[in-house]
Amino acid sequence: MWWWRKRQDFKAEIEAHLQLEADELHSEGLSSAEAQAAAQRVFGNRTSAEERFYESSHWMFGQHFVRDLRFAARMLVKDAKFSVLGVLALGIGIGVSTGIFALLGPMFQPHGSNVRSIEEVRNPASYVGLDRGRFRNFSFPEYRYFQDHSSALEEISAESAPYNVVLNAISEGGDAEQAVAAFESAGSMSVLGMQPALGRSFSKEEEQPGAPLVAILSNQFWRRRFGGDAGVLGKTIVLNAHVVRIVGVADPKFHADDASAIFLPLGLQPLVTGQGDWLRDSQTKWLMASARLRRGVSMTQAQAETYVLGAGFDGNGNPGTAQSTEDRVMVSPGGGDLQTALMAGAAKTVINVIVAMILMIACSNLANLLLARAAIRQREIGVRLSLGASRSRLVCQLLTESLLLSMGGGAVGLVFSVWLIRAISWLSPALVNLPSGAEVHLGQGALLYALVLSLATGFAFGLGPALAATKTNVARALHADGLSGTPSTPSHKMWSPRNLLVVAPLSVSLMLLIGATGLARALQNARTEPKFDASRVIGVTFRLKAQGYDESKSLQFQNTLRQRITTIPGVVSVALASGFPLPWLPPFGRCALSIDGSEISAGAAVCHAVSAGYFETLALPIVRGRAFSPSDRAGSEPAAIVNQELARTYWPGQEPIGKRIRGGDTFFEVVGVAANVQDAHGHFSFLLLPTIYVPAAQGNLLSRSSDSGGDRAASYQL
Amino acid sequence: MATQDRNRIALLQGTLDLLILRTLIFGQQHGQGIARAIQRQSEDVLLVDHGTLYPALQRLEQKGWIKAEWGTSTNNRRARFYTLTRSGRKQLTRETSEWRKLTLAIGRIVGPET
C-alpha cells in the first residue's frame, strides 16, 4: 500500500529520474557531466519534493505531536510562573475530585446492621419490603396477621435486628464469646431466593412459642469457626446458657454484609432474650418484614391491600380505628432499604455535582490563564500565521500545551487527593466509615478517573482559548497594537467567553458557598458525633440472665463488680445501666410509656435503668434539673430523667421538670433533662429516640422490659 | 536551451494531473518519461517542473487513479513505472471533458486570433 512507501523508495525514484534524464540529455549530445548538472537543474528543488512527499505520509500526526509536545514543554518551562499557577489550580480541582471519588465508595458502603443490599436479592422484581410507622417494624402478631390475610403478597417473612448473645466455648479449652444472632422466620432465606448451604431452613412450627432449640449458622461463621465442616449438622452450641442444636448453614449471601453469626427461629425469642414474650405482644415492634408480590399483582395493588389490612389490625386482631398516615404499612420495591439506597445515591449525586463545580472553578481559572496568555502571545501567533502555519496546526499546538498543563495538573492532583483522603480520614473517621485499620487507597478506578478528568479538562478548556488565539488578524497582530499585548479585537460584549469565564466561577462559588452554609446548618442539626465524651469510656456487657444468674445472684455480682472495678488504678468512676447509651438496635432496651394520656409503644422509646454516677461517668450533661442522687432509692418517690428529644416531642415549649410519666403502673416524676445521645455509627438512618432514665434501685417499677436483675452494662471511665 | 525556455509556459494549476493521466493512456511509463512525453507532445511548449511531478504522481497514486511498480527502463535503468487504473481512466474522461468545456468557454471570451 502506498502509505507504507518509504522515504528511501521515493528518493530512489528521484535518483532514477535524474539518471534517466541525464542519459537522455547525454544522448542528445551533452557531455555526461553537463547532462548530470542539467538534469539536476531541471528537476529543481529536490529537498522540497522530498518534503512534500514526506508531509503527504500519514505519519505526520505523530511527528507533529512529538514536536508539539517538545515545543509545549519548552514554552511551559519558559513561562514557569504561568505553568506553576496553572498546574496548581488544576491540581487542586482534580485532586479534590479524585479524592472525593475515591472516598465515595467506602463512604456509602452499607456495612450497618440491618442494611440489606439490593444485590443480595436474586430476583428483585417481585421483592418488596414492608415498613410500618416511623420505625418500619412489625410486631409478631402483626406479621402473622399479614401472613394470614394478604392475598397480594406471598412468602411474607420477618427477621429481628441483630442481637448479641453469649456463646460458650465452641472448641474445648476455648473462651466464651459474644456473637451476633438474629431471629428469622421460616421464609427469611427463601424470600430472597436463597437456599441453605447445608441442612434445612426453619419450619413454620419453629416460629411458634415453645419452639425447639435449633439454630442455623451463617456461612461465614460456619467457615470461620467450624472450618466449613459438613459434619456440623446435629452438633450443639450453648447460647445464652441454652443448648441449641445446629440444623443448617445459611446461603453464603444471606446476611453476608453484616456480622450475624447465628440465626434462631422467631419462636425462640422469649427464651433466648429473656426480655418478655414478644410473640404474644402486639406492642413490641421488633420485626422487619419483606415479601414477594404474587404473580400478576402490581405494586399499587399490593400497597392498596396492605393499607386496608393495616387499618384492620389494631394489635388485638380487632378491626382497627382510624390509622394515622405515619402508621401506614408501606410496600417498597426492593426492600425497605431501597430508601436508604436512594438516599445514599442522591447524596452521592449531590457530592459529585459539588465536586464537579469545584473542578469547574479550577478549570475556568485555567481557561482564563490560557486566554490571557494567548493575548500575550498574539504576536508570536501572528508571526507564525503569516509564515504560513495553518490554523489547525497552531490550534493543535496550543491544545498540546493545555493538555500538557492539565496532565501536570492531574499528576499534582493525584498527590493532593492522597493528602485529602488522609486528611479527611484523620479529621472525621466516622464520615469515611471504615473498619479500623483499613485505609482508602486510590484504586485503578480513581486513577482512571483522574486521567480522564485531566484529559477532558485540558481539551475542553484549552480548545476555546486556542481557537480564540488563532483567530488573529495577522496584520494587526504584527503591528504596533499587537506589540502591546492587548487582544486584537477587544470584546465589549456582555456574554463574551472572557466575561463568562469570570462570571461562571463567581456564580458557582457563590452557589457552593450558599450550599455549604446550608449543609453546615443541616449538619449542626444532625450531628453524628456522640454528645457525650466517649473517648475515655470503656463499656463492658454482662449477660447475667442469659448465663443463668437469678435476681439475687445478679445483684450480688453487680455489687462485687462495681467494687472491684473501682479499685482498679486509673478508673475514675463506674456506673451500671441496663443498656448502652447508643440505642441503635431496635427494639431491645425499649419500653412502653404513657405520657399525659398518650401512649408510647414499646418500639418508640428507650428505657434505661441506671445506677448512681451514670451521667457523670459518661459525662452526659444534665441540661435541666438534677441528676439522680442516693436518695432516689427503692421506696422513695419514683424519679426519672428524660432526654431532650422526649421533652421536645411531648412537652414542646413546656417545663418538663415535674411532669409525670407512667411506666407500667408507676408514675415517675421527671427530675431532670439529659442531653440527647446520638448515634456515632455514621449510619444514615439512625434514630434519635425519646429516652427515659430511671434509677436502677427503682428500676423494678418499670413493669415491662427493664428487667432489673437482667442484663447490665457497666461503663467505667479511666 | 535558453531560447527554448522563452517559448515555454508554466502549467496551469490543476492541469498537471490531466496531462499525467493522458500520457499514461498509451501504457506504463516512469516519471521522467512522463515529463518528457508531455514536453514532446506539447512541442516543447509546456514545461513540467520535475520537482512538482513526483508529488503529483504520489497524490494520484493515493487517489487510486494510477498504480506503480519498479521495473527496468529501455536503457536498462531501474525506474518506477506508473500505470493507469480503471478509476484513473474514468477520471481522465471526466477531466478531459471539463477541460474541453473550459477552453471552449475561455476561447469564446478571448476571441479568435487576430
Side-chain angles (χ1 to χ4, degrees):
Chain A
M1 304 295 265
W2 65 266
W3 54 83
W4 292 115
R5 203 175 159 199
K6 295 269 163 55
R7 239 172 137 176
Q8 282 310 317
D9 190 73
F10 189 75
K11 263 188 141 151
E13 188 179 8
I14 288 171
E15 208 57 55
H17 168 95
L18 292 174
Q19 287 292 343
L20 285 164
E21 184 70 16
D23 283 352
E24 198 146 349
L25 289 171
H26 187 57
S27 70
E28 281 170 9
L30 289 173
S31 74
S32 69
E34 275 175 335
Q36 297 265 351
Q40 298 265 8
R41 200 170 55 240
V42 173
F43 191 87
N45 192 342
R46 210 176 134 175
T47 323
S48 147
E50 278 176 25
E51 260 176 15
R52 278 158 73 184
F53 163 75
Y54 182 72
E55 278 183 10
S56 73
S57 97
H58 260 201
W59 295 105
M60 283 323 287
F61 176 74
Q63 291 280 345
H64 281 166
F65 181 69
V66 171
R67 221 179 312 151
D68 282 353
L69 212 59
R70 237 179 292 159
F71 180 78
R74 257 202 325 270
M75 289 307 286
L76 291 179
V77 168
K78 218 169 102 186
D79 195 351
K81 226 191 291 175
F82 162 82
S83 315
V84 168
L85 214 61
V87 164
L88 278 182
L90 261 187
I92 290 171
I94 293 173
V96 168
S97 307
T98 311
I100 298 296
F101 178 83
L103 277 178
L104 277 181
M107 245 159 97
F108 290 98
Q109 202 93 63
H111 50 87
S113 53
N114 45 11
V115 179
R116 172 187 293 149
S117 58
I118 301 163
E119 290 93 316
E120 221 176 275
V121 182
R122 284 212 185 115
N123 171 22
S126 66
Y127 179 79
V128 292
L130 300 175
D131 302 324
R132 177 162 213 175
R134 191 174 162 203
F135 309 105
R136 324 207 311 211
N137 288 351
F138 291 80
S139 67
F140 183 80
E142 222 171 348
Y143 150 66
R144 294 305 293 261
Y145 175 80
F146 275 95
Q147 207 170 42
D148 292 344
H149 291 85
S150 178
S151 57
L153 301 170
E154 59 186 1
E155 289 190 67
I156 297 178
S157 66
E159 60 182 355
S160 76
Y163 176 74
N164 285 333
V165 293
V166 178
L167 219 52
N168 280 15
I170 288 169
S171 51
E172 208 139 326
D175 287 326
E177 62 184 305
Q178 185 167 301
V180 178
F183 296 99
E184 303 283 348
S185 71
S188 283
M189 237 184 284
S190 62
V191 73
L192 296 173
M194 297 179 186
Q195 295 298 322
L198 269 183
R200 63 175 177 90
S201 45
F202 296 130
S203 69
K204 271 267 172 255
E205 290 67 48
E206 285 162 343
E207 288 184 7
Q208 304 294 345
L213 286 154
V214 291
I216 292 176
L217 301 182
S218 83
N219 209 287
Q220 291 76 13
F221 186 73
W222 172 58
R223 284 184 195 286
R224 202 171 61 240
R225 298 309 306 272
F226 291 92
D229 176 17
V232 76
L233 297 181
K235 283 193 178 161
T236 56
I237 48 175
V238 182
L239 185 150
N240 280 9
H242 302 288
V243 179
V244 179
R245 195 164 47 86
I246 299 167
V247 295
V249 173
D251 190 291
K253 281 163 111 183
F254 190 62
H255 279 266
D257 55 1
D258 60 42
S260 299
I262 296 158
F263 306 112
L264 299 166
L266 293 179
L268 283 184
Q269 179 277 325
L271 194 64
V272 170
T273 63
Q275 285 179 308
D277 184 355
W278 296 343
L279 300 177
R280 295 190 174 87
D281 175 359
S282 57
Q283 293 306 313
T284 306
K285 316 248 181 196
W286 60 297
L287 294 171
M288 295 173 278
S290 57
R292 290 247 172 213
L293 292 178
R294 224 176 262 282
R295 191 176 287 274
V297 172
S298 74
M299 193 66 75
T300 335
Q301 285 170 311
Q303 183 63 75
E305 193 204 69
T306 47
Y307 272 167
V308 176
L309 283 181
F313 183 85
D314 72 339
N316 304 316
N318 306 321
T321 45
Q323 195 179 12
S324 70
T325 332
E326 202 187 47
D327 208 32
R328 276 186 177 171
V329 178
M330 302 295 294
V331 179
S332 46
D337 296 301
L338 194 69
Q339 258 165 328
T340 318
L342 285 178
M343 211 162 97
K348 233 172 173 169
T349 313
V350 168
I351 292 176
N352 270 327
V353 167
I354 291 172
V355 163
M357 283 177 172
I358 296 173
L359 186 67
M360 218 185 95
I361 294 174
C363 285
S364 57
N365 282 334
L366 177 81
N368 240 336
L369 278 173
L370 285 173
L371 261 187
R373 203 158 107 103
I376 292 166
R377 284 171 69 179
Q378 200 102 48
R379 189 159 190 238
E380 175 203 329
I381 289 161
V383 168
R384 295 172 63 187
L385 277 173
S386 66
L387 283 179
S390 70
R391 193 171 168 210
S392 62
R393 281 287 294 115
L394 277 180
V395 168
C396 265
Q397 200 167 59
L398 291 173
L399 215 51
T400 312
E401 264 184 64
S402 65
L403 277 179
L404 197 67
L405 207 62
S406 71
M407 291 310 280
V412 171
L414 279 182
V415 177
F416 277 155
S417 67
V418 172
W419 289 348
L420 182 78
I421 291 172
R422 290 217 186 118
I424 290 181
S425 348
W426 182 70
L427 284 174
S428 89
L431 180 70
V432 183
N433 195 17
L434 278 180
S436 57
E439 247 187 85
V440 182
H441 290 290
L442 282 181
Q444 273 178 338
L447 287 179
L448 194 70
Y449 180 82
L451 183 72
V452 170
L453 218 56
S454 318
L455 284 177
T457 53
F459 197 78
F461 289 86
L463 195 62
L467 286 177
T470 50
K471 216 159 59 187
T472 300
N473 183 332
V474 173
R476 285 191 67 170
L478 295 181
H479 244 253
D481 293 1
L483 279 177
S484 67
T486 53
S488 53
T489 46
S491 173
H492 297 296
K493 276 185 289 179
M494 170 93 166
W495 297 107
S496 69
R498 190 174 284 257
N499 284 349
L500 274 184
L501 278 176
V502 178
V503 173
L506 205 68
S507 51
V508 170
S509 304
L510 211 61
M511 260 161 74
L512 282 181
L513 203 65
I514 295 168
T517 320
L519 201 65
R521 288 295 295 273
L523 283 179
Q524 256 173 5
N525 292 340
R527 273 168 70 90
T528 53
E529 292 159 45
K531 288 237 176 94
F532 65 97
D533 179 13
S535 59
R536 288 176 303 134
V537 176
I538 294 173
V540 189
T541 317
F542 299 94
R543 305 212 157 267
L544 300 178
K545 205 169 187 175
Q547 301 270 56
Y549 279 56
D550 61 20
E551 184 116 352
S552 61
K553 263 175 87 182
S554 297
L555 277 173
Q556 198 184 344
F557 173 83
Q558 286 164 11
N559 283 331
T560 323
L561 179 76
R562 208 175 158 155
Q563 279 165 15
R564 288 219 188 138
I565 290 178
T566 317
T567 57
I568 297 174
V571 172
V572 174
S573 65
V574 190
L576 294 162
S578 58
F580 278 125
L582 297 172
W584 59 286
L585 295 182
F588 307 103
R590 296 188 184 170
C591 56
L593 298 170
S594 167
I595 298 171
D596 296 344
S598 67
E599 300 283 334
I600 311 177
S601 71
V606 180
C607 298
H608 284 316
V610 302
S611 74
Y614 176 81
F615 296 102
E616 290 85 338
T617 304
L618 291 175
L620 188 64
I622 300 290
V623 293
R624 231 185 151 74
R626 63 171 176 88
F628 293 129
S629 67
S631 62
D632 296 314
R633 56 175 185 274
S636 73
E637 184 70 14
I641 290 175
V642 297
N643 71 346
Q644 288 169 310
E645 175 71 9
L646 189 143
R648 192 186 60 77
T649 314
Y650 294 98
W651 305 303
Q654 296 174 46
E655 172 59 62
I657 309 293
K659 296 270 182 193
R660 292 163 80 80
I661 296 177
R662 188 167 61 84
D665 300 324
T666 318
F667 279 95
F668 292 86
E669 192 190 327
V670 175
V671 298
V673 179
N676 287 335
V677 174
Q678 289 182 16
D679 186 4
H681 291 264
H683 290 284
F684 261 89
S685 52
F686 71 85
L687 297 169
L688 177 59
L689 292 173
T691 306
I692 170 172
Y693 302 94
V694 298
Q698 297 176 338
N700 309 17
L701 295 172
L702 273 174
S703 65
R704 302 165 56 85
S705 91
S706 92
D707 40 345
S708 62
D711 305 342
R712 277 300 153 89
S715 308
Y716 54 99
Q717 193 176 19
L718 292 178
Chain B
M1 280 214 77
T3 47
Q4 267 184 351
D5 284 352
R6 211 172 300 147
N7 298 328
R8 283 182 174 172
I9 312 169
L11 279 174
L12 277 173
Q13 200 160 15
T15 51
L16 183 58
D17 288 5
L18 173 64
L19 294 179
I20 292 171
L21 293 175
R22 174 72 196 169
T23 310
L24 286 178
I25 207 163
F26 305 112
Q28 64 169 20
Q29 189 56 275
H30 49 70
Q32 190 262 347
I34 293 169
R36 277 279 167 164
I38 292 172
Q39 232 163 295
R40 208 173 300 130
Q41 285 189 17
S42 69
E43 289 162 359
D44 283 336
V45 173
L46 294 178
L47 171 86
V48 177
D49 178 359
H50 295 181
T52 54
L53 175 68
Y54 285 93
L57 284 169
Q58 179 72 19
R59 194 172 58 241
L60 294 179
E61 201 182 339
Q62 278 179 26
K63 286 184 176 166
W65 292 338
I66 56 175
K67 59 178 189 238
E69 56 186 350
W70 285 92
T72 319
S73 73
T74 40
N75 55 351
N76 255 353
R77 293 240 181 239
R78 247 170 73 74
R80 204 156 180 265
F81 282 89
Y82 293 91
T83 328
L84 207 56
T85 63
R86 187 186 286 268
S87 69
R89 247 169 241 282
K90 274 188 206 151
Q91 180 63 19
L92 177 59
T93 325
R94 205 158 37 234
E95 282 194 23
T96 310
S97 80
E98 263 171 36
W99 175 252
R100 293 244 160 84
K101 273 187 219 158
L102 184 71
T103 46
L104 206 66
I106 292 178
R108 281 192 196 119
I109 295 165
V110 175
E113 224 170 313
T114 45

